[in-house]
Amino acid sequence: MTEIDLDHHRSGDAVTAELRADVVAGLTAERKWLPPKWFYDAEGSELFEKITQLPEYYPTRSEREVLAAHAGDVARLSGAHTLVELGSGSSEKTRLLLDALTGHGSLEAFVPLDVSESALADAAEAISKDYPGLTVRGVVGDFTQHLGLLPGGQPRVVAFLGGTIGNFLPAERATFLRSVREVLDVGEWLLLGTDLVKDPGILERAYDDAAGVTAEFNKNVLRVINARLGANFDVDEFEHVSHWDAENEWIEMRLRAPRALTVEIPGADLTVSFAEGEHIRTEISAKFRPAGVEAELAAAGFALERWWTDSQQRFGVSLARSVRG
């Protein structure tokens, strides 16, 4: 069995300081917000894995269908020696890529990066066991901060799957894609998963499932703040809201205070008041059109080489090659 290395770029103190800064910025804003990365402690990661198995949540199944059909094309075109996965979670879909790349004979290393150490360690251990001879080196870090620290031999293919790119606002997306391009040499690859614009009813059900798993996932950000900053959020007081913004073509997830509330957050030296019905935006999930994906990739310095969708054209996967510095 290959030895597993975990590189840590997020110490406990640094994570707490980062959360504190986000909480102060987001909960003192005129329209309150929190970044979605704070969903993902161990409990949040488990809840998200449950979401991916829900009947309403099509993105995981749709993306898996695309990868099952085209992982061999990714291996053939990229000839990658290293597969880097950003926001890897359980890395279940990634096994399709690992199978294709190891079968192609080029792959030497797998580098998963995730903010959740528990999810990362479990995934890295399982993959190391199932792919003997493959170097597995997990990175505990934030893909908006630690891309330049990723190990691995060239050529590399960076996989950013699950539609996570949609969690960025447009300007943030542009910055992120450029940052990926900056760590790649000309000729290296980005494999990007993008959820596509579709019927709003399908989208809203995907983010507000009948079993209430997404609601618990959404509320987990409050549990994280309670645990790390000593806050006294009554998690059950807040209501999960999913809303399709047709103008921006994204889903917003929010938490709504059903009555006037005051929350103390000692670890941020903050008292937060909520009016009745006031919202915290906890996530956007942008949906894309093919032409828009190609344009955003080009603006960041990538050339689109392949575009694939599932049989229902719900989800797109693009393979793009870095073409300029």
Side-chain angles (χ1 to χ4, degrees):
M1 176 172 161
T2 304
E3 182 179 353
I4 303 167
D5 292 314
L6 287 182
D7 295 344
H8 289 79
H9 299 307
R10 297 182 96 228
S11 69
D13 289 346
V15 171
T16 300
E18 189 180 337
L19 174 61
R20 183 185 302 117
D22 284 342
V23 164
V24 171
L27 296 187
T28 61
E30 183 177 356
R31 292 187 174 183
K32 294 180 174 64
W33 57 269
L34 289 166
K37 66 183 175 184
W38 299 115
F39 293 138
Y40 294 98
D41 62 353
E43 182 177 359
S45 295
E46 290 180 8
L47 284 167
F48 184 72
E49 289 305 313
K50 290 180 181 177
I51 287 171
T52 66
Q53 300 167 27
L54 293 169
E56 298 97 330
Y57 195 78
Y58 63 86
T60 301
R61 291 188 299 277
S62 299
E63 187 176 46
R64 184 181 291 115
E65 178 189 329
V66 176
L67 293 175
H70 297 290
D73 297 321
V74 174
R76 177 177 55 82
L77 289 163
S78 71
H81 291 180
T82 302
L83 173 63
V84 177
E85 184 178 18
L86 307 180
S88 55
S90 66
S91 294
E92 283 302 310
K93 286 176 296 189
T94 316
R95 289 171 176 264
L96 296 165
L97 295 169
L98 291 171
D99 289 343
L101 286 161
T102 54
H104 184 260
S106 62
L107 193 66
E108 299 170 354
F110 174 53
V111 180
L113 179 148
D114 202 87
V115 294
S116 173
E117 181 175 355
S118 59
L120 182 68
D122 289 346
E125 182 178 355
I127 286 172
S128 182
K129 179 180 178 181
D130 293 343
Y131 295 85
L134 182 66
T135 298
V136 178
R137 186 160 187 172
V139 177
V140 182
D142 183 333
F143 49 64
T144 65
Q145 300 177 34
H146 302 124
L147 290 179
L149 303 174
L150 293 172
Q154 299 173 339
R156 294 166 293 180
V157 57
V158 173
F160 194 40
L161 302 174
T164 307
I165 188 70
N167 294 155
F168 293 109
L169 293 164
E172 295 170 339
R173 277 202 310 270
T175 297
F176 173 76
L177 289 171
R178 284 195 301 269
S179 71
V180 175
R181 171 61 191 87
E182 286 168 2
V183 303
L184 296 177
D185 285 341
V186 170
E188 293 190 300
W189 301 86
L190 172 64
L191 185 70
L192 183 65
T194 46
D195 198 7
L196 303 180
V197 174
K198 60 185 65 64
D199 178 81
I202 294 172
L203 290 166
E204 291 193 340
R205 286 191 294 275
Y207 291 84
D208 192 11
D209 62 279
V213 182
T214 309
E216 288 305 306
F217 175 69
N218 194 9
K219 294 177 183 181
N220 199 58
V221 69
L222 304 182
R223 298 187 187 96
V224 169
I225 297 171
N226 284 350
R228 283 199 169 268
L229 299 179
N232 64 345
F233 279 103
D234 184 340
V235 175
D236 293 332
E237 281 270 18
F238 284 81
E239 300 169 347
H240 168 68
V241 176
S242 169
H243 168 71
W244 169 243
D245 183 328
E247 181 179 354
N248 289 304
E249 296 190 322
W250 65 47
I251 284 278
E252 286 194 8
M253 288 209 315
R254 306 172 185 168
L255 292 169
R256 179 171 57 207
R259 60 182 180 85
L261 296 168
T262 299
V263 177
E264 301 292 337
I265 311 177
D269 192 24
L270 190 65
T271 300
V272 183
S273 296
F274 291 89
E276 179 181 348
E278 188 173 6
H279 291 212
I280 311 170
R281 187 178 72 188
T282 54
E283 181 180 89
I284 68 163
S285 185
K287 308 307 170 186
F288 295 87
R289 299 179 186 272
V293 175
E294 184 170 10
E296 291 192 33
L297 288 169
F302 289 97
L304 181 65
E305 295 288 338
R306 294 291 188 277
W307 170 261
W308 303 296
T309 63
D310 64 291
S311 57
Q312 298 186 66
Q313 298 188 353
R314 290 182 169 186
F315 199 95
V317 176
S318 52
L319 181 65
R321 182 172 48 85
S322 58
V323 292
R324 72 169 191 265

